[in-house]
């Protein structure tokens, strides 16, 4: 749940829980131009190496739409974010760091085609050691969208030694989601957080314990 009082699964670092409603999807219902950054706090877990994935759909307005995942959230002013947005010309896949409230873009790539209203996209962020990967793809064939409009892009960034002190291998943080819907009806669906576990006999080989968190 989102705005169910004491039972809420999320804490709002930005925006407000009442700007969204869970009904099949996590949909923007108020203040669509405001950024809502929600941290999944219900389980109490923090993560080191992990992958966070959502399915996000813009509504009627594409320009300035943004949706993404939060990695290694230390507190409301220090976190990593992998997301897609649109600047009015291009839709982009991006990785940002926020340190002491100051946002810095670390990597960006234009998607081959701009996002399409009401079309869902998978947005993934992963941190593995000191390497961050962000990506976007369509989640399944959409017969209403021509193949030429299927937009995919990925970006990768390796933390510097100074950045690794804040966000790297030895650091744990929470995970979450972010959205600036730009129009009511924009939504996030199917949040999945997958922490990586390592076997000592197979150094570098991961088995992912999946924690699926809906709405």
């Amino acid at each position: 749940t989102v705005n169910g009082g004491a039972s809420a699964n999320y804490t709002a670092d930005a925006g407000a829980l009442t700007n969204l409603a869970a009904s099949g999807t996590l949909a923007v219902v108020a203040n669509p131009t405001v950024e809502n950054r929600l941290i999944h706090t219900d389980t109490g877990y923090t993560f080191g190496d992990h992958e966070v994935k959502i399915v996000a759909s813009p509504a009627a307005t594409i320009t300035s739409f943004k949706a993404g995942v939060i990695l290694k959230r230390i507190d409301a002013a220090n976190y990593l974010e992998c997301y897609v947005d649109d600047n009015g010309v291009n839709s982009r896949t991006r990785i940002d760091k926020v340190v002491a409230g100051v946002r810095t873009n670390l990597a960006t790539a234009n998607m081959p085609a701009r996002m399409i209203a009401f079309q869902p996209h998978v947005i993934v962020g992963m941190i593995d050691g000191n390497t961050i990967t962000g990506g976007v793809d369509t989640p399944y064939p959409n017969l209403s969208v021509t193949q030429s409009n299927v937009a995919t892009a990925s970006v990768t960034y390796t933390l510097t030694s100074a950045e690794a002190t804040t966000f790297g291998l030895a650091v744990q943080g929470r995970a979450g989601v972010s959205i600036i819907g730009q129009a009511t009806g924009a939504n996030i669906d199917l949040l999945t957080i997958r922490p990586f576990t390592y076997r000592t006999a197979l150094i570098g080989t991961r088995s992912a314990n999946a924690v699926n968190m809906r709405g």
Side-chain angles (χ1 to χ4, degrees):
T1 61
V2 179
N3 47 20
S7 65
N9 299 121
Y10 300 91
T11 297
D13 275 353
L17 299 181
T18 52
N19 289 336
L20 302 107
S23 179
T25 64
L26 188 60
V28 176
V29 295
N31 302 309
T33 60
V34 169
E35 179 171 28
N36 296 285
R37 190 167 70 252
L38 308 184
I39 307 305
H40 193 275
T41 53
D42 177 63
T43 59
Y45 294 144
T46 58
F47 304 97
D49 287 358
H50 63 294
E51 175 187 278
V52 186
K53 179 171 68 175
I54 59 173
V55 177
S57 302
T61 303
I62 300 299
T63 299
S64 298
F65 172 83
K66 172 189 173 184
V69 300
I70 305 299
L71 299 172
K72 290 280 182 87
R73 181 266 197 188
I74 311 305
D75 55 40
N78 296 275
Y79 57 91
L80 299 170
E81 184 176 19
C82 298
Y83 62 97
V84 297
D85 71 357
D86 188 278
N87 63 7
V89 178
N90 294 296
S91 294
R92 308 174 295 183
T93 305
R94 314 194 87 195
I95 298 171
D96 286 2
K97 68 175 181 180
V98 177
V99 177
V102 178
R103 180 178 292 270
T104 303
N105 178 247
L106 302 176
T108 187
N110 290 339
M111 294 162 58
R114 292 182 71 188
M115 290 179 281
I116 298 171
F118 306 107
Q119 179 181 337
H121 285 76
V122 173
I123 302 167
V124 180
M126 182 180 76
I127 184 163
D128 189 352
N130 293 327
T131 300
I132 309 165
T133 303
V136 60
D137 201 351
T138 48
Y140 39 73
N142 186 333
L143 298 181
S144 67
V145 179
T146 62
Q147 188 65 31
S148 62
N149 285 330
V150 174
T152 61
S154 63
V155 284
T156 300
Y157 179 81
T158 300
L159 298 171
T160 66
S161 57
E163 292 165 342
T165 300
T166 304
F167 298 115
L169 185 61
V171 181
Q172 293 187 352
R174 295 189 183 275
V177 300
S178 60
I179 186 168
I180 306 175
Q182 295 302 328
T184 56
N187 65 78
I188 291 174
D189 195 10
L190 298 175
L191 166 65
T192 304
I193 303 171
R194 296 166 58 89
F196 302 144
T197 60
Y198 296 88
R199 298 177 183 177
T200 56
L202 295 170
I203 299 300
T205 299
R206 300 192 296 257
S207 64
N209 295 327
V211 181
N212 294 312
M213 301 166 184
R214 181 71 180 265

